[in-house]
Amino acid sequence: MAARNMLWVGLVLLGVLGTQANDPNSAQPHFLIDKFLGPWYSVGLASNASWFLEKKNTLSMCKTTVVPSGDGGLNLTSTFLRKNQCETRVVLLQPTAHPGQYTYHSPHWGSVHSVSVVETNYEEYAMLFSKGLDGPHQDFRMASLYSRTQTPKAELKEDFAAFCKSQGLTEDTIVFLPQPDKCINEQE
Ligand SMILES: *[C@@H]1O[C@H](CO)[C@@H](O)[C@H](O)[C@H]1NC(C)=O
Ligand SMILES: *[C@@H]1O[C@H](CO)[C@@H](O)[C@H](O)[C@H]1NC(C)=O
């Protein structure tokens, strides 16, 4: 009897874990890292974190250049305008067993996040989803829209809004970022 119960509990757990692995952290099927490299503009963001909601209307677009990092992960170097100055920040994403899914150890927050390239066609757009995996920021959720150009089509913005909702983020948590007047253009 006990053994049968254990089996049943085991099957239920497998079922639950199986669902979690596919959703909402799934990645673009057959993710091709080489095609994902190069420059992107972060044109849309969404998060229900209170600090984000407070300052989302003061943010502007940043340029992020993706290169491979030595360990099979990604090095995201972002340039953005802050307090009228151009700043650069590097984020290193560690690989997981699943292509397109990464982990990020935040030195600032002291926490671990998962970052997934959930959907991309490589040429135009990518939709990323990040969430806290442990520690005080376990509740953290953020969706990002990356575009190869600074001027995404209206249709892409609508698709991103639908993506955010599918990840449990409501319309009021979404922001489409304005172009800054410096820092992200090729010649700078
Ligand atoms: C954000 O949404 C997630 C998922 O719906 C939830 O677990 C979390 O508590 C929310 N966080 C905040 C700060 O509202
Ligand atoms: C990340 O990439 C940038 C250039 O794209 C490079 O300058 C920097 O050294 C890299 N950092 C690491 C830790 O790989």
Side-chain angles (χ1 to χ4, degrees):
M1 191 63 198
R4 278 187 60 171
N5 279 341
M6 286 304 290
L7 178 65
W8 188 80
V9 169
L11 286 175
V12 170
L13 279 177
L14 275 177
V16 169
L17 294 174
T19 321
Q20 279 183 348
N22 291 328
D23 178 53
N25 267 320
S26 61
Q28 171 68 40
H30 317 293
F31 179 70
L32 299 168
I33 188 167
D34 288 351
K35 292 184 76 179
F36 184 67
L37 304 178
W40 289 101
Y41 297 97
S42 65
V43 296
L45 285 175
S47 175
N48 62 351
S50 50
W51 60 264
F52 175 82
L53 295 172
E54 274 161 34
K55 71 174 198 175
K56 76 181 172 75
N57 294 319
T58 68
L59 302 173
S60 58
M61 196 177 287
C62 74
K63 180 182 182 178
T64 297
T65 302
V66 183
V67 298
S69 62
D71 61 358
L74 296 174
N75 167 340
L76 275 54
T77 303
S78 298
T79 309
F80 53 94
L81 178 66
R82 187 163 172 258
K83 292 185 180 146
N84 211 32
Q85 300 220 311
C86 300
E87 289 191 19
T88 297
R89 202 174 68 127
V90 174
V91 164
L92 295 173
L93 301 181
Q94 269 110 40
T96 68
H98 306 281
Q101 294 185 21
Y102 299 90
T103 51
Y104 170 60
H105 296 256
S106 166
H108 177 65
W109 285 355
S111 55
V112 184
H113 293 83
S114 70
V115 179
S116 298
V117 183
V118 180
E119 196 186 316
T120 183
N121 67 357
Y122 308 102
E123 315 268 299
E124 285 169 290
Y125 76 94
M127 296 188 200
L128 282 74
F129 191 72
S130 172
K131 69 184 231 180
L133 290 180
D134 69 0
H137 297 282
Q138 215 166 350
D139 278 352
F140 179 76
R141 304 279 183 283
M142 182 175 271
S144 316
L145 176 63
Y146 278 18
S147 167
R148 289 291 190 190
T149 70
Q150 295 182 24
T151 49
K153 291 184 191 132
E155 194 190 348
L156 182 57
K157 292 181 175 183
E158 284 165 26
D159 289 349
F160 180 63
F163 170 71
C164 291
K165 283 172 204 158
S166 76
Q167 302 286 350
L169 293 165
T170 51
E171 189 86 44
D172 57 309
T173 68
I174 303 171
V175 62
F176 292 103
L177 302 166
Q179 289 168 268
D181 50 22
K182 56 181 183 184
C183 302
I184 66 170
N185 292 316
E186 224 43 79
Q187 57 274 21
E188 289 164 314

